[in-house]
Amino acid sequence: MKRRPMSPGDYRLVRAVGRLPARVHTKLLIAFVGTAVLLVAVGALGLRVLAQSDDRVSELGPLQERAAAYGKLQSDTSNVRNLLAENLGRKSDYFVVWPDDSALGVRVAVDQAIANQVRRIPATTFPDRLGFVPPAEDENVLREIREESDRLSVLMDEVIQDPNETVRAEAERLAAELNQLASELANATTAKASALIADNARAYASSRSLYVGVAVGAIGLALLLGFVLSWSVIGPIQRIDPRLAAIAAGDFSGRVDVENRDELGALAANVNRTNDELRRLYVELESASQHKSDFLASMSHELRTPLNAILGFSQVLREGMVGPVNEKQAEYLEDILSSANHLLALINDVLDLSKIEAGQVELERRPFSLREALERGVVVVRERASDDGVSVALEADPAADVVDGDERRIQQVIFNLLSNAVKFTPAGGAVDVASARVNGEVRVSVADTGPGIAFEDQERIFEDFQQASSGLEQREGTGLGLALSKRLVELHGGRLWLESELGKGSTFVFSLPARSS
């Protein structure tokens, strides 16, 4: 047995989702909610990343402001230290400014300038001058700077009053310590700002990678969820559809294997139950059909024997072979013969239909002249047509003369169509028979000028024991002729159809495969 190729619906995860005891509506709802949750999670993560970045930026601004203020303080203390160092070594630029004055006067002027600058330093360490409130650790250093500045200011006053080299050296040492404190404070703050910038860059890269990873993961999960759920629905449908097609074609041997515990699983179970029930009914119908065929064959045989006797003795009596008959008796004998022939035709039609349905009809195919078959059919019905005042005309195409088929069966179809046309055509009407070769097939048409057939009856009249309203009104026929003709034409690989309109007559057309040249 050929295995069915594996489809996405056969994956384990898909089948596992299908086996969940939940309705399809619930599964779809869960899928939509899950996708929405993933989207919300991605959005929340994005907001968190933005908030963290905003916090880092807001922290960096004050830190850079502090670094700038401390840098200014460092510059001021560095300037004091440099001036003291230059004045101590008498290399100050003031010697250039006042080249004609004494060295002592220049030194005093420089010391006075240094003292003034030192006195301004403490004021620059308070929040109103800094522009911000320094943190506790910075405040401790700033307090030391103020204290060192105050001591240096006292020493500078002593230096100005008494230019003692020992005091001046102590002042220079304090200036160096003051500059050291300011430098450490500025450098530490600058280092913090640089570290924060570096941390911000790393955090941004990390957050970006995390966000992208989560977004990709969420998209992957959403796609996986959609794939699994969709195939848990599509897979069973794909398995059910060919089974339904097979059932429609009359194949009841297979079953649908669907493990879903939802509406699709229930549908598959119903399909299997329907398949089993149809298989059981089909077996019963086949048995009944066989019994019917056997019964009809037996019945037809049993009926033909006495019917042939009735026909034979009626003909003997009508011919006067056993004595003369009067006019009334002859009329009764004609009625008996007509009814017997009608009954014999009915029996033959029923038997033919039963054989066709049972597949017991074997066509004797051979080349024959379609034109001659049409001419024989016209000859058979022409006498009745003349009696009813109906003209019958034949137009045979020489290109559609020889066809392959069972001549007796095709003759039977032609006679059925011609007899119906003559029967339903009123006096003064006409029946036109034609043959032609069209699109690789041979077509025979029988057109009459009768009452026509209503649209709603045009399909029904090809069914067993069905007649149009005009046939019911005339109370003639059994409703088997067209059904039998249609099946015989189809056995030849052709088709039989009707073109009709009420009040404008009818045209019956049948086609046969053209004989290959």
PDB file of all heavy atoms in Angstrom, residues 299 412 418 445:
ATOM      1  N   MET A 299     -38.894 -12.659 -14.979  1.00  0.00           N
ATOM      2  CA  MET A 299     -40.245 -12.202 -15.290  1.00  0.00           C
ATOM      3  C   MET A 299     -40.433 -12.009 -16.791  1.00  0.00           C
ATOM      4  O   MET A 299     -41.460 -12.394 -17.358  1.00  0.00           O
ATOM      5  CB  MET A 299     -40.521 -10.894 -14.558  1.00  0.00           C
ATOM      6  CG  MET A 299     -41.921 -10.331 -14.810  1.00  0.00           C
ATOM      7  SD  MET A 299     -42.050  -8.596 -14.349  1.00  0.00           S
ATOM      8  CE  MET A 299     -41.017  -7.838 -15.591  1.00  0.00           C
ATOM      9  N   GLN A 412     -32.206   1.223 -32.411  1.00  0.00           N
ATOM     10  CA  GLN A 412     -33.209   1.318 -31.350  1.00  0.00           C
ATOM     11  C   GLN A 412     -33.335   2.767 -30.855  1.00  0.00           C
ATOM     12  O   GLN A 412     -34.449   3.264 -30.630  1.00  0.00           O
ATOM     13  CB  GLN A 412     -32.803   0.391 -30.205  1.00  0.00           C
ATOM     14  CG  GLN A 412     -33.825   0.261 -29.098  1.00  0.00           C
ATOM     15  CD  GLN A 412     -33.380  -0.738 -28.036  1.00  0.00           C
ATOM     16  OE1 GLN A 412     -32.335  -1.385 -28.175  1.00  0.00           O
ATOM     17  NE2 GLN A 412     -34.180  -0.897 -26.998  1.00  0.00           N
ATOM     18  N   LEU A 418     -37.563   8.967 -33.182  1.00  0.00           N
ATOM     19  CA  LEU A 418     -38.490   9.253 -34.282  1.00  0.00           C
ATOM     20  C   LEU A 418     -39.939   9.002 -33.862  1.00  0.00           C
ATOM     21  O   LEU A 418     -40.839   9.790 -34.176  1.00  0.00           O
ATOM     22  CB  LEU A 418     -38.130   8.405 -35.492  1.00  0.00           C
ATOM     23  CG  LEU A 418     -36.934   8.897 -36.320  1.00  0.00           C
ATOM     24  CD1 LEU A 418     -36.569   7.856 -37.381  1.00  0.00           C
ATOM     25  CD2 LEU A 418     -37.280  10.218 -37.010  1.00  0.00           C
ATOM     26  N   SER A 445     -29.697  14.654 -35.203  1.00  0.00           N
ATOM     27  CA  SER A 445     -30.737  15.472 -34.580  1.00  0.00           C
ATOM     28  C   SER A 445     -32.102  15.076 -35.119  1.00  0.00           C
ATOM     29  O   SER A 445     -32.258  14.788 -36.314  1.00  0.00           O
ATOM     30  CB  SER A 445     -30.484  16.956 -34.839  1.00  0.00           C
ATOM     31  OG  SER A 445     -30.526  17.245 -36.227  1.00  0.00           O
TER      32      SER A 445
END
